[in-house]
Every structure is written in C-alpha cells, then in structure tokens.
Amino acid sequence: MSSINPWRSMWIRPRETIRWVVKTNPRYGVFWLSSIYILQSLFFFLNFWSFGLSVHHYTILIPSLVLAPFLGVIWVWFYGWLLQCTGRWLGGHAPASHVRAALAWSRLPMSAALVLWIFLFFLHPEEVFVQHGPGSLAPIIHITLFLLEVWTLILFIQAIQEVQRFGLLKSLVNIFTSWILYLVIIFLIMLIARFLSISLSLTSN
C-alpha cells in the first residue's frame, strides 16, 4: 500500500484506496475533488437551464471558476456531516474526516466530466451552456455523464462500506437516508429564500 496512487487506483480499487487515504491523510485531495465535482455540476445545471442563451459564456465561466472551491468546501462538509449522522444511526463510527474522504474520492470519475465540458468549451464555446447546443454531440454527452454517475455511485457505496465497516445493505441505507435529508434541507432553504425574496419585493413596492 505504500506505493499506491489514489488518483489511479480509486477507479478500480476503491476500498483499498480509501483505506490508504484515511490512514495516510484523510484530507488529501478532498478540496480539489470537491471543487471539481461542484464545478462540473454547475456546468451541468447551467447547460440544463440554457443560461448560454441570455448570458455570454465567459460571463458564466469566470464566476463558476471562482465559486466552485467555496461551494465545494460547503458541500463536502455539509453532505459529509449528513452521512456521518445517518451512519451513526446505523451503528457506524467513522470520523467526519474519513466520511468526507469517502464522499470526495468517490466523485473522482466526475473529473472526467469536467474534461468533457472543457473539450466542449473549446469546440463550441457559444453553445456549451445551452441544452442540446452541441447538436449531434448531445446524446454522447448525456450517455457519458450517466455512465460516470453510475461509476461514481458504485465507488461511493464501496467507500462508505470501508470507512463505516458496513455491509452492502447498511451502506445503501446510509447513502439513501443522507441523500433524502440533503434534498429536503436544500428544498427548505430554497423555499425560505423564495419567501424572503417575495416578502422583500412586496415591502419595496
């Protein structure tokens, strides 16, 4: 294990890789992986909502590059905390740093998605943030993203199994319950933000 390279081994040996990471330095790579994951997620949602139709692509790109590291830190700490809490309900005792490592490193395949977005940006910069903008490449893009998401989920399950010492079923329950809580909390935050914005607009009028 002393010669392991987690950037290569995580793709095919996730449990061994996470074991090495948490024993060596649980914080290793977490910042960069979470930043990359959030950046490609931003690109996906900006493309999905076709922001490129009303905003210049560089006006979208630069704020995304600036915001991604900050949002990545918030995401990995918040989601990691939910994973740790729901894991404890099931009898898991992994430290928060180990859970964050499992969460971040399981997103490694999504770094390939970022490479795809960069390729599209150089190929079709004016269409990269428009849904189905790249034309004939759109089906290939969506299939590739789907396969990467499936691979990410498989790595995620095995990484949680390793750090929490769970079997397959408990790992799935841990991931599912944390995911549901994550969506509920995000929905409530959006609901509150919408309510506040409406209240402020009514007050100003």
Side-chain angles (χ1 to χ4, degrees):
M1 291 181 65
S2 60
S3 61
I4 197 170
N5 184 335
W7 300 96
R8 290 201 304 262
S9 62
M10 186 64 193
W11 295 81
I12 55 175
R13 294 181 292 160
R15 297 192 66 164
E16 181 183 344
T17 303
I18 289 299
R19 195 180 312 132
W20 180 89
V21 168
V22 298
K23 285 184 177 180
T24 305
N25 180 7
R27 294 188 296 273
Y28 176 69
V30 170
F31 173 78
W32 295 109
L33 287 164
S34 58
S35 299
I36 290 171
Y37 175 70
I38 290 299
L39 182 59
Q40 68 83 29
S41 297
L42 285 173
F43 287 170
F44 173 81
F45 286 111
L46 291 168
N47 171 276
F48 181 81
W49 294 105
S50 295
F51 269 65
L53 291 175
S54 55
V55 183
H56 192 272
H57 49 276
Y58 279 115
T59 307
I60 296 173
L61 177 65
I62 295 172
S64 298
L65 292 173
V66 173
L67 285 173
F70 298 101
L71 295 177
V73 169
I74 294 171
W75 169 78
V76 78
W77 276 80
F78 174 59
Y79 200 1
W81 173 73
L82 287 177
L83 274 168
Q84 186 188 30
C85 289
T86 53
R88 283 179 176 173
W89 299 345
L90 299 167
H93 300 286
S97 60
H98 292 193
V99 176
R100 288 193 295 268
L103 175 60
W105 278 96
S106 65
R107 265 56 186 178
L108 181 59
M110 300 313 296
S111 61
L114 183 59
V115 173
L116 179 63
W117 288 115
I118 293 171
F119 170 75
L120 287 175
F121 190 86
F122 284 105
L123 194 65
H124 300 286
E126 69 286 346
E127 297 180 349
V128 69
F129 298 121
V130 178
Q131 190 177 26
H132 305 304
S136 61
L137 289 175
I140 299 173
I141 294 166
H142 289 295
I143 291 171
T144 302
L145 290 175
F146 174 75
L147 293 175
L148 290 174
E149 285 286 0
V150 171
W151 201 343
T152 294
L153 178 60
I154 293 170
L155 298 185
F156 191 21
I157 293 168
Q158 295 196 47
I160 290 298
Q161 282 185 277
E162 179 60 35
V163 297
Q164 293 283 28
R165 297 292 188 265
F166 283 164
L168 177 60
L169 180 59
K170 274 192 175 183
S171 297
L172 289 171
V173 173
N174 188 183
I175 291 170
F176 180 74
T177 51
S178 64
W179 180 67
I180 292 296
L181 285 174
Y182 179 78
L183 292 180
V184 169
I185 292 170
I186 294 297
F187 174 76
L188 290 175
I189 291 172
M190 293 176 65
L191 202 63
I192 293 169
R194 179 173 173 79
F195 173 77
L196 290 175
S197 66
I198 293 172
S199 299
L200 289 173
S201 64
L202 290 175
T203 303
S204 62
N205 292 332

